[in-house]
């Protein structure tokens, strides 16, 4: 037998080993992803669900919505130098996470008529200011898009178009995207504490249990479509917001009942992620503990560069003026040093706070800030 004949199986083995062990940087060689192989990333983009803390424009297209930020001073520091429906002075936490992940474009809002075709291949933002996990949350804010409806929008509209764009079914493609969910705060402030809750649910413990069970079903729906990488934002300490303080003028500190509710939800969220009953094998859910991160800033602001932890940076329409104590006045004054303020309006943080949140979400190794791993590690698993 010739040397050539003897060596053929060996060379074939070498070739097969190279093919199967070489890294495929775009996650799946059969999907026509936009990001090039030499970028060596497994994250092609983000699909975002939630409320105003992650919203970037969907409510602009809701005629009856009262929760809009499409006017100055919102966006005063945004790179496009114009209001963008982000409830802050510049970038929100989604924009900044996108920067860390080197996503080449801002994630477009679902309701924007131009969000179609190749514009969706890096992800879509479905979030709606004033919305919640529960369908009846946010009715006082006029027209909003509930988390359930956001997921339906993804499933019925965006997902079929994405499959067409990248010529790949969702079971193969969605594992290469982050699914970011930031919802739940409004379910307390615009539902439970307004007395709008189902009469069969009487205690905050029962309400919170129902809330987290509902969220688990929503995450499972996304999982069943093919999602495998999740980032869930824990609730913020909204009891420390200027809005909460203004509604309780005799209080000298944060409104504890609001913070207790947030902490109860966050505890349940952690339990949910650790629960074997979630039945989402081969998936990873990262919790960003925004509560702790922001409380650290509020309690020790100087190392982060903040000097004002209590006041909104913009002029806010008070309850006495017919406002809600939450949103900036249209064309109102704004503080000169936005980097020194924790809050931009009565509820939402400044870009400087969002910067800290995104940095810690992406790279912190402390499990009381991100659990069980950070977003960077999630993006490469």
């Amino acid at each position: 037998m010739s040397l050539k004949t003897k060596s053929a199986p060996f060379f074939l083995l070498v070739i097969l080993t190279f093919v199967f062990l070489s890294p495929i940087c775009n996650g799946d060689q059969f999907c026509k992803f936009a990001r090039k192989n030499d970028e060596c990333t497994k994250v092609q983009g983000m699909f975002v669900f939630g409320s105003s803390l992650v919203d970037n424009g969907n409510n602009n297209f809701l005629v009856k919505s009262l929760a809009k930020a499409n006017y100055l001073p919102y966006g005063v520091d945004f790179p496009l130098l114009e209001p963008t429906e982000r409830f802050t002075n510049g970038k929100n936490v989604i924009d900044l996470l996108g920067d860390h992940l080197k996503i080449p474009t801002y994630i477009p809002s679902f309701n924007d008529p131009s969000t179609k075709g190749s514009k969706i291949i890096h992800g879509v933002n479905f979030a709606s200011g004033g919305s919640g996990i529960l369908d009846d949350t946010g009715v006082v804010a006029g027209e909003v898009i509930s988390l359930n409806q956001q997921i339906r929008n993804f499933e019925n509209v965006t997902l079929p178009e994405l499959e067409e764009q990248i010529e790949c079914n969702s079971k193969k493609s969605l594992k290469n995207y982050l699914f970011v969910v930031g919802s739940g705060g409004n379910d307390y402030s615009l539902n439970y504490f307004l007395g709008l809750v189902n009469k069969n649910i009487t205690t905050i413990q029962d309400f919170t249990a129902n809330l987290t069970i509902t969220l688990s079903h929503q995450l499972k729906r996304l999982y069943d479509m093919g999602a495998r990488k999740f980032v869930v934002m824990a609730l913020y300490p909204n009891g420390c917001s200027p809005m909460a303080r203004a509604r309780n003028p005799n209080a000298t500190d944060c409104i504890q009942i609001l913070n207790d509710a947030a902490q109860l939800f966050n505890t349940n969220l952690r339990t949910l992620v650790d629960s074997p009953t979630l039945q989402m094998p081969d998936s990873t859910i990262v919790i960003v503990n925004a509560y702790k991160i922001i409380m650290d800033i509020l309690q020790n602001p100087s190392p982060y560069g903040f000097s004002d932890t209590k006041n909104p940076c913009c002029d806010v329409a008070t309850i006495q003026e017919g406002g809600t104590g939450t949103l900036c006045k249209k064309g109102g004054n704004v503080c000169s040093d936005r980097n020194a303020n924790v809050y931009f309006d009565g509820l939402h943080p400044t870009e400087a706070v969002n910067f800290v949140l995104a940095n810690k979400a992406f790279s912190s190794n402390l499990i009381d800030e991100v659990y069980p791993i950070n977003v960077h590690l999630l993006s490469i698993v």
Side-chain angles (χ1 to χ4, degrees):
M1 187 178 291
S2 69
L3 178 62
K4 181 177 180 180
T5 305
K6 284 183 177 180
S7 302
F10 173 77
F11 286 119
L12 179 60
L13 178 62
V14 170
I15 292 171
L16 290 174
T17 300
F18 178 81
V19 169
F20 286 107
L21 295 185
S22 293
I24 300 171
C25 298
N26 67 349
D28 195 310
Q29 68 268 44
F30 301 110
C31 300
K32 290 189 175 180
F33 290 127
R35 302 187 77 171
K36 297 178 181 179
N37 288 358
D38 58 8
E39 292 181 74
C40 225
T41 177
K42 292 185 178 181
V43 170
Q44 295 296 321
M46 290 187 287
F47 293 106
V48 183
F49 307 83
S51 60
S52 57
L53 293 165
V54 294
D55 180 12
N56 71 344
N58 283 300
N59 285 10
N60 283 348
F61 303 92
L62 302 179
V63 175
K64 297 180 181 179
S65 176
L66 303 177
K68 295 182 180 181
N70 58 347
Y71 56 88
L72 290 172
Y74 290 112
V76 64
D77 298 311
F78 194 76
L80 299 179
L81 302 177
E82 61 183 19
T84 61
E85 179 61 29
R86 290 160 174 81
F87 289 79
T88 186
N89 56 301
K91 294 181 179 182
N92 64 19
V93 69
I94 297 301
D95 300 316
L96 294 162
L97 274 178
D99 290 344
H100 279 294
L101 293 164
K102 295 182 171 54
I103 296 173
T105 62
Y106 293 117
I107 306 299
S109 57
F110 172 79
N111 275 0
D112 188 330
S114 69
T115 301
K116 56 187 176 182
S118 61
K119 288 190 69 173
I120 72 172
I121 58 178
H122 294 300
V124 175
N125 190 319
F126 299 86
S128 173
S131 70
I133 293 170
L134 303 179
D135 289 344
D136 55 355
T137 291
V139 293
V140 296
E143 190 178 4
V144 299
I145 310 166
S146 69
L147 185 53
N148 276 325
Q149 184 58 50
Q150 292 173 34
I151 294 172
R152 285 192 290 269
N153 289 341
F154 170 73
E155 181 176 20
N156 298 330
V157 180
T158 301
L159 188 53
E161 188 169 4
L162 179 69
E163 291 180 330
E164 181 180 330
Q165 284 294 314
I166 63 177
E167 299 180 15
C168 189
N169 69 51
S170 61
K171 296 296 183 182
K172 290 183 178 179
S173 63
L174 293 187
K175 64 185 179 182
N176 298 291
Y177 289 86
L178 294 188
F179 284 74
V180 185
V181 180
S183 190
N186 290 330
D187 292 288
Y188 291 98
S189 60
L190 300 181
N191 193 329
Y192 182 83
F193 287 116
L194 293 182
L196 303 179
V197 68
N198 186 315
K199 290 182 173 56
N200 294 325
I201 300 176
T202 57
T203 69
I204 196 165
Q205 288 78 13
D206 290 341
F207 179 79
T208 302
N210 178 55
L211 207 57
T212 48
I213 289 171
T214 303
L215 178 61
S216 72
H217 293 159
Q218 292 161 335
L219 295 176
K220 184 64 163 55
R221 284 172 58 195
L222 292 169
Y223 172 86
D224 289 341
M225 295 177 215
R228 292 297 181 268
K229 301 175 189 286
F230 296 88
V231 178
V232 180
M233 304 295 294
L235 298 193
Y236 292 31
N238 288 341
C240 299
S241 67
M243 175 191 69
R245 293 173 185 271
R247 292 182 178 182
N248 297 269
N250 295 325
T252 58
D253 205 349
C254 301
I255 310 306
Q256 198 57 43
I257 189 172
L258 298 179
N259 282 354
D260 287 345
Q263 288 181 296
L264 180 61
F265 177 87
N266 293 342
T267 299
N268 282 22
L269 185 62
R270 172 76 174 261
T271 302
L272 171 69
V273 169
D274 288 335
S275 172
T277 62
L278 193 56
Q279 296 181 341
M280 292 168 53
D282 300 320
S283 68
T284 304
I285 302 176
V286 168
I287 299 175
V288 179
N289 192 353
Y291 187 99
K292 180 190 184 301
I293 295 169
I294 292 179
M295 282 301 292
D296 285 348
I297 293 173
L298 294 174
Q299 293 171 352
N300 192 21
S302 296
Y304 295 96
F306 296 101
S307 58
D308 191 331
T309 62
K310 295 183 178 181
N311 300 300
C313 175
C314 69
D315 287 341
V316 171
T318 65
I319 296 173
Q320 292 76 13
E321 295 172 325
T324 62
T326 303
L327 299 180
C328 298
K329 293 180 180 179
K330 291 184 178 180
N333 294 324
V334 65
C335 62
S336 58
D337 185 5
R338 268 83 73 183
N339 290 331
N341 275 62
V342 171
Y343 293 98
F344 186 65
D345 61 12
L347 179 64
H348 306 97
T350 56
E351 180 187 72
V353 172
N354 290 330
F355 185 81
V356 176
L357 276 170
N359 281 354
K360 287 184 176 290
F362 189 76
S363 59
S364 176
N365 292 317
L366 302 176
I367 61 172
D368 59 349
E369 292 183 340
V370 282
Y371 177 84
I373 59 175
N374 60 44
V375 174
H376 175 240
L377 293 176
L378 177 66
S379 72
I380 61 176
V381 296

